[in-house]
Amino acid sequence: MSLLEVRGLTVAFRSEGRFLRVVEAVDLDLEEGRILGLVGESGCGKSVTARSLMRLLPEPPARIEGGSIRFAGNDILALDEAAMRRLRGDRLAMIFQEPMTSLNPTWTVGFQIEEALKLHTDLPAAARRERSLELLRRVGIGAPERRLRQYPFELSGGLRQRVMIAMALACGPDLLIADEPTTALDVTVQAQILELLARLREELGMAILLITHDLGVVAEFCDEVAVMYAGRIVEHGRVADLFARPRHPYTNGLLASTPRLRGRRGRLPTIPGSVPPPDRRPPGCPFAPRCQRVLERCRSAMPGLAGDDGHLAACWNPVR
Amino acid sequence: MIGYIARRLGQAVFILIGISLVTYVLVYLIPADPVRQIAGRSATPETVESIRRQLGLDLPLWQQYLRYLGDLLQGDLGRSYIQKTEVATLIASRLPATLELMAGAILLELLIGLSAGIYAASRRGRPADRAIMVASFAAVSAPQFVVGILLLYVFAVQLGWFPIGGYGTLWHLVLPALTLGLLGGGWYARMMRSAMIEVLRQDYIVTARAKGAGRFRILFVHALRNAALPVVAMVGLDIGIFMSGAVVVESVYGWPGIGQLAWQAIQRVDIPIIVGVTIVAAVAIVLGNLLADLVAPFIDPRIKFRR
């Protein structure tokens, strides 16, 4: 059984008196110890999906309209707030895009790392400190004794993201949700953070859900990938399969528009048009208006995810 | 830190000289003759002139002021024209009552304002939030004498829980302090609410929730400290404001504070007391601000004392 199993997750936001569906009928599966990349353009609903998994969306304006989320035997959407709190930061942890603003400016690094231990374990103060030092060492931070006493504003962006990771790992989670963890960082630091996450996965055996808009990151770092477009998963498969033989025209277009060092020169292909906002999504497949392989039925009916050998695409007329 | 305090106090001397000058000139411009107040209506012109000379009021304004400033810099606030007592002594005799009322008022302002503001922010947009906003708006716009008289009537006259006025025990303090605390609490509630709402939007609040922190912990451990700076600054200002006396509340409750002293002095054009009280209030404002600035780095570690 999967560690995480999402079925038909549908999330709406209230805007000017009506509810707009931002995430629609999303299915995700993630096994223990695997890394799943969730890719898509900004606004496609990937962050909303990630936050729904931890029930971190503010309700209102958000509303989970349907579906189910099963995580390690828990029915996430049925849990009360107290039970949800026990899960958050313990078995289910999250790191965010902006390490500069994601740490509390008025508390020391040590306080913020130890907090998760304080909330979820009975460890005495000395043991919590010992564990915090170990966590900082584990995420590659030198002079951890000094770092524990420092405030976030005294650290660089890369160090802060390492602190965030140490904090998320404090209780040894089964699943780490990383919401664009490297987007705000310098390129060299990005690579370091991703390597760190990959190494931690090996060492600790946790699963990672990596939200990103960067296909390069997915190719290098993930085992599986789910592509999101306009609130829906349009393709899902193992990284090697999906990159070698994309089935959905959107994935195909994305891969074609990625610049390569070798290969033909000239203009980079682009996908014509732009992503429809949630209040102007067409009936049927949301990609239909921009799709070069569009059929008549695409405009009226949304295809379900289908395919073989774990490589699924939601398309009436898949590539190849 | 000691160097910082010394430099701030050094700056304060210049502020005080400026304030004494402005006050002195303003009082001089009042179209009322202090000498007539002292001498009474039936005094002969000779008597009036001799009193005027005696008090040095026959000198040109700049000479009067320089003489006053010279005394002030030696710590002498002069003598009351009417009571002939040292102004410093008069103010000192009112100081305990003023400080007591100040402490009570600030304590209640914080208690009422912060709890209402924090609760409203945590219930943003819901009925409890709206009710608190309406109540705080009423508090902010209510005149002191109305609230003062209302509390006096209900709790002292009708219910008899507290003395009707005067000064002495802690029971005497409750109603005047509550009047100021309710009114000032309205400001604090509004300020606290908006500061908390701003902080609760921040990314680190989501981080704290993702860690498993509960509502209470989010509010009081993660948000409050980040929202506390404006409150500290406002307490600093309040120290100065309450030092010059809560004139209306002191009148309603017969509270023997600096406000009453100043009020009587204004009626009688007793210039040394007016200027003296103004200067003491200015000192309190400077000290209150200094205190707020000294506390700030302990609340937000990003703030450092500038050398």
Side-chain angles (χ1 to χ4, degrees), chain A residues 178-249:
Chain A
D179 188 357
E180 305 243 13
T182 60
T183 306
L185 302 175
D186 292 341
V187 181
T188 46
V189 183
Q190 278 184 26
Q192 292 168 9
I193 295 290
L194 288 171
E195 274 162 30
L196 170 67
L197 285 174
R199 190 181 49 129
L200 291 170
R201 187 266 298 250
E202 296 296 326
E203 290 172 10
L204 307 173
M206 65 183 172
I208 298 177
L209 176 64
L210 179 78
I211 321 285
T212 180
H213 60 264
D214 189 336
L215 284 169
V217 167
V218 173
E220 196 154 326
F221 179 70
C222 296
D223 305 313
E224 282 151 69
V225 55
V227 181
M228 254 186 121
Y229 182 81
R232 291 176 183 271
I233 303 283
V234 294
E235 188 160 0
H236 190 300
R238 281 188 293 274
V239 166
D241 295 345
L242 189 135
F243 276 78
R245 290 179 301 279
R247 289 223 176 108
H248 197 282

Side-chain angles (χ1 to χ4, degrees), chain A residues 51 54-56 85 88-89 96 98 101-107 111-112 115-116 119-120 151 153 164 167, chain B residues 126 202-204 206-215 217 221-223 225-226 299-302 304:
Chain A
R51 288 185 187 205
M54 287 187 83
R55 293 247 313 268
L56 281 177
R85 264 204 321 267
R88 284 190 203 123
F96 301 92
E98 283 293 343
T101 53
S102 293
L103 290 167
N104 194 321
T106 54
W107 295 104
F111 178 92
Q112 296 187 59
E115 188 175 18
L119 288 166
H120 298 291
Y151 288 94
F153 75 93
M164 283 294 290
M167 213 161 82
Chain B
R126 297 186 203 197
Q202 301 298 314
D203 289 346
Y204 53 79
V206 183
T207 307
R209 290 184 60 214
K211 237 191 274 185
R215 218 167 90 97
R217 195 175 170 87
V221 176
H222 289 274
R225 198 164 168 187
N226 286 282
I299 291 175
D300 189 336
R302 285 169 297 182
K304 291 259 152 74

Side-chain angles (χ1 to χ4, degrees), chain A residues 30-108:
Chain A
L30 182 54
E31 315 240 320
E32 274 173 38
R34 306 276 287 175
I35 302 182
L36 169 65
L38 186 58
V39 268
E41 298 169 63
S42 27
C44 73
K46 53 193 193 298
S47 283
V48 170
T49 304
R51 288 185 187 205
S52 316
L53 300 183
M54 287 187 83
R55 293 247 313 268
L56 281 177
L57 290 174
E59 301 179 44
R63 188 173 78 185
I64 295 181
E65 294 198 321
S68 69
I69 301 170
R70 297 199 63 84
F71 167 74
N74 296 287
D75 182 354
I76 294 278
L77 296 183
L79 292 179
D80 61 16
E81 183 55 26
M84 199 60 228
R85 264 204 321 267
R86 283 195 290 277
L87 224 50
R88 284 190 203 123
D90 188 22
R91 319 228 17 219
L92 194 53
M94 189 160 180
I95 58 175
F96 301 92
Q97 178 170 347
E98 283 293 343
M100 304 308 275
T101 53
S102 293
L103 290 167
N104 194 321
T106 54
W107 295 104
T108 60

